[in-house]
Amino acid sequence: MPQRVLVADDDRAIRESLVRALELEGYHVVPVVDGIETLTRARRDAFDALVIDVMMPGVDGLAVCRVLRAEGDHTPVLMLTARVETPDRVAGLDAGADDYLAKPFELDELLARLRALLRRASFGGGDGQESGTALRVGSLLVDPAARRAWWADEELLLSKTEFDLLELLVRNEGIVLDHSTVYQRIWGYDFGADSKNLAVYIGYLRRKLAAAGAPSLVHTVRGVGYTVRRP
């Protein structure tokens, strides 16, 4: 059975181009034109992934994503945006998007990112490995089976990607993971040296750990990557 993808974009040319490209790749595509229709279809039907434009009339893509996440819908979301500044990317990720792609984009890159999201969803985790063994670094406790994490007695409220990244780093405590390795393990695709996705999520983890009272755990090795070390 083909995987079902909802495409939401009020730009007819972009929407029709995406539908053609995705159908040629074997996906079953449902196109919609605004945020209200996106919410209606996403609530009514099951999809394997959602491709949502940020700038839509009425209810925009960020609001759509926030509502779906608040309702417990964890369908992978690839956000399309004409806004490329870091605060705009952060806003998309804060809303619960799994990835973002700036317009104008190459169809090949969109298809690659969509495949990566679908692979991650099918595995249920960043590295495709599930383990019932809790992981600990000092007072940081990560439970892969329950997909929950705590610093001391305070639970960390993490998105799916944030949890996947934290679990990967904790599993490899003391080992410096380069950018390419992290991208492949978490996103299933190496977005290249110019991508800011990883830096944004590292910033998220650091802020959430700091808000829980944790000392510096996630360290940057300049020019190489990231690692977790005990305080």
Side-chain angles (χ1 to χ4, degrees), residues 73-121:
D73 187 328
H74 299 294
T75 305
V77 172
L78 173 59
M79 195 77 76
L80 305 180
T81 176
R83 299 172 173 175
V84 296
E85 299 301 318
T86 297
D88 299 313
R89 294 196 299 266
V90 170
L93 298 173
D94 271 338
D98 297 279
D99 196 6
Y100 67 88
L101 186 59
K103 296 180 177 179
F105 52 82
E106 297 291 336
L107 279 172
D108 284 346
E109 182 176 5
L110 182 141
L111 293 170
R113 292 190 181 217
L114 181 59
R115 287 193 296 269
L117 287 182
L118 292 167
R119 282 197 301 271
R120 289 172 56 204

Side-chain angles (χ1 to χ4, degrees), residues 87-173:
D88 299 313
R89 294 196 299 266
V90 170
L93 298 173
D94 271 338
D98 297 279
D99 196 6
Y100 67 88
L101 186 59
K103 296 180 177 179
F105 52 82
E106 297 291 336
L107 279 172
D108 284 346
E109 182 176 5
L110 182 141
L111 293 170
R113 292 190 181 217
L114 181 59
R115 287 193 296 269
L117 287 182
L118 292 167
R119 282 197 301 271
R120 289 172 56 204
S122 68
F123 282 128
D127 58 7
Q129 298 175 358
E130 288 295 330
S131 170
T133 303
L135 309 170
R136 185 181 290 277
V137 175
S139 295
L140 175 65
L141 179 67
V142 177
D143 185 343
R147 295 187 63 77
R148 300 171 69 185
W150 296 262
W151 173 259
D153 295 326
E154 183 169 346
E155 183 167 4
L156 305 174
L157 301 180
L158 304 175
S159 71
K160 180 183 184 300
T161 301
E162 291 165 359
F163 183 89
D164 290 342
L165 179 56
L166 181 62
E167 180 188 352
L168 176 64
L169 292 171
V170 170
R171 282 190 184 278
N172 294 277
E173 178 191 354

Side-chain angles (χ1 to χ4, degrees), residues 11-114:
D11 186 312
R12 179 178 177 181
I14 292 177
R15 187 175 64 252
E16 292 182 350
S17 175
L18 288 175
V19 169
R20 287 195 298 271
L22 292 171
E23 287 181 341
L24 284 172
E25 292 292 312
Y27 296 105
H28 175 83
V29 185
V30 175
V32 297
V33 300
D34 58 37
I36 295 297
E37 190 178 4
T38 302
L39 284 171
T40 299
R41 293 302 300 263
R43 286 164 169 164
R44 188 181 72 192
D45 303 324
F47 291 96
D48 296 289
L50 310 174
V51 179
I52 303 176
D53 182 41
V54 170
M55 300 298 292
M56 291 190 294
V59 179
D60 66 22
L62 297 179
V64 168
C65 197
R66 281 193 292 266
V67 169
L68 291 175
R69 295 304 189 236
E71 293 176 350
D73 187 328
H74 299 294
T75 305
V77 172
L78 173 59
M79 195 77 76
L80 305 180
T81 176
R83 299 172 173 175
V84 296
E85 299 301 318
T86 297
D88 299 313
R89 294 196 299 266
V90 170
L93 298 173
D94 271 338
D98 297 279
D99 196 6
Y100 67 88
L101 186 59
K103 296 180 177 179
F105 52 82
E106 297 291 336
L107 279 172
D108 284 346
E109 182 176 5
L110 182 141
L111 293 170
R113 292 190 181 217
L114 181 59

